[in-house]
Amino acid sequence: YHFKPQNYINVANSKIYLTCRSYFGNLPKGDNSSVSDPKSYFNSTNISGIIGLQARLPLHIIVGARYLMGFTDLRNQSIAGTGDAWRSRTIQAYAGIKLF
């Protein structure tokens, strides 16, 4: 489940928009019959912040880029003393067509 509120700010009354939002992620439960379950190494929740720019071009084309920076340590607390924190950091680029 992901909760992503849409907060856009129009930059200088143009077709460029700044977005700044929060991101909440949850690691789903599942069955794994392997000896070493990979989910045991990770925290069950992830809280991040997102900042990005989006441009609305002619013909309803949308392009943008955003940066996601994790605030929570993704490691399970049982292995928390093993070096640096595991934080998510992602650069995303996208393009699309606005339908409505």
Side-chain angles (χ1 to χ4, degrees):
Y1 175 74
H2 302 288
F3 173 70
K4 297 185 286 188
Q6 299 291 326
N7 299 325
Y8 289 101
I9 299 170
N10 192 341
V11 178
N13 200 14
S14 66
K15 300 286 184 175
I16 299 174
Y17 296 85
L18 173 70
T19 181
C20 188
R21 64 176 95 171
S22 58
Y23 173 85
F24 302 95
N26 189 10
L27 183 63
K29 293 183 180 181
D31 295 326
N32 190 345
S33 61
S34 69
V35 176
S36 178
D37 186 8
K39 291 182 295 186
S40 65
Y41 295 104
F42 295 97
N43 237 344
S44 62
T45 59
N46 180 19
I47 300 172
S48 303
I50 299 174
I51 188 164
L53 288 174
Q54 175 177 294
R56 294 187 180 170
L57 304 174
L59 301 174
H60 301 284
I61 296 173
I62 298 172
V63 295
R66 56 188 172 199
Y67 177 71
L68 181 143
M69 183 174 80
F71 300 130
T72 56
D73 189 353
L74 297 176
R75 291 179 298 180
N76 190 335
Q77 294 301 322
S78 64
I79 61 168
T82 59
D84 294 334
W86 298 351
R87 297 197 196 311
S88 58
R89 287 182 174 55
T90 307
I91 296 174
Q92 302 171 341
Y94 59 92
I97 298 174
K98 183 179 177 192
L99 297 177
F100 302 103

